[in-house]
Amino acid sequence: MTLRTNAIRITGLTAEHAREVLAIYQLGIDEGNATFETAAPRWDAFDTAKLPDHRHVALDHDGRVLGWVAATKVSDRCAYAGVVEHSVYVHPYARNRGVGFALLEALIASTEAAGIWTIQSGVFPENTASLTLHQRAGFRVIGTRERIGRHHGAWRDVVLIERRSPRIA
C-alpha cells in the first residue's frame, strides 16, 4: 500500500529502510520520553518483532525516511487476535508536518483491512505531542498505569491509549 499526501509518501517498511528507521528510533529513545528502551534493537530483532503487514514508513520526495509506524501482536491467545500494540516515531526535523498523522492513517487502514479491531499503545504522560497526535487520529485515553516501570533510575507512569475500529464488529 502506498499513500501520497503533502509530498509525503507512505509505503511499506522493509529492510531497505532499516538504517534510517533504527536511527530515528534511537533519536526518539535519546530524547527520553518515547520508550522504556535504552537502545534501538538490531534490524533482525526489529524485523522479527513487527507484523509485516502493519509497518509503514513516510518518505520525502528524495526517498529519505521521515518516520515509521509498526505494530506487534499483544498476545498469541486467540481472544486477542484483533488487538495490536503500535509505535510511531518521526524524525525531529520532520515533526509538525503531518508525518505522524499520515503514518497512523496508514496503520489504521492496514489493520482494519486485516480485521483488527483495536490498536493500543502506552505513552509517557510527558510526551504531550504523541498524546495530542493520537487523539487527533481517534485514539482515546484508557487510563494511567502509575509507576509501572523504572527508566534511568526513576519510576515512570504510562498512559494507556487505544483506538477501537468503528468498522470492525
Side-chain angles (χ1 to χ4, degrees):
M1 174 173 118
T2 300
L3 299 171
R4 283 190 180 275
T5 177
N6 299 333
I8 297 167
R9 184 168 58 99
I10 306 296
T11 194
L13 188 166
T14 66
E16 87 177 80
H17 308 113
R19 184 184 55 76
E20 291 175 282
V21 163
L22 296 177
I24 291 168
Y25 194 6
Q26 189 62 54
L27 287 170
I29 291 169
D30 292 345
E31 289 178 335
N33 283 324
T35 179
F36 282 107
E37 299 297 331
T38 56
R42 291 178 21 156
W43 172 251
D44 57 341
F46 181 97
D47 186 43
T48 300
K50 307 304 182 195
L51 297 170
D53 294 334
H54 308 299
R55 56 188 193 186
H56 312 280
V57 289
L59 306 174
D60 70 6
H61 63 282
D62 291 326
R64 287 180 302 220
V65 176
L66 302 173
W68 60 271
V69 66
T72 59
K73 295 190 311 184
V74 299
S75 175
D76 285 328
R77 295 176 65 193
C78 63
Y80 296 104
V83 183
V84 295
E85 183 169 352
H86 82 290
S87 298
V88 59
Y89 285 78
V90 176
H91 194 288
Y93 72 68
R95 293 182 184 153
N96 300 310
R97 294 175 36 194
V99 172
F101 192 80
L103 287 165
L104 287 176
E105 284 184 315
L107 179 65
I108 290 165
S110 71
T111 56
E112 285 188 340
I116 293 170
W117 58 82
T118 301
I119 305 169
Q120 68 180 32
S121 191
V123 179
F124 290 136
E126 297 84 0
N127 194 343
T128 57
S130 182
L131 291 169
T132 299
L133 167 65
H134 283 89
Q135 182 181 15
R136 282 186 51 233
F139 286 75
R140 67 186 179 108
V141 171
I142 300 302
T144 300
R145 301 180 77 189
E146 296 177 353
R147 297 172 42 98
I148 193 67
R150 292 178 67 79
H151 183 239
H152 299 299
W155 286 103
R156 299 290 301 264
D157 295 348
V158 171
V159 178
L160 182 60
I161 60 172
E162 74 172 16
R163 181 189 183 276
R164 299 294 301 262
S165 172
R167 295 179 27 192
I168 309 299

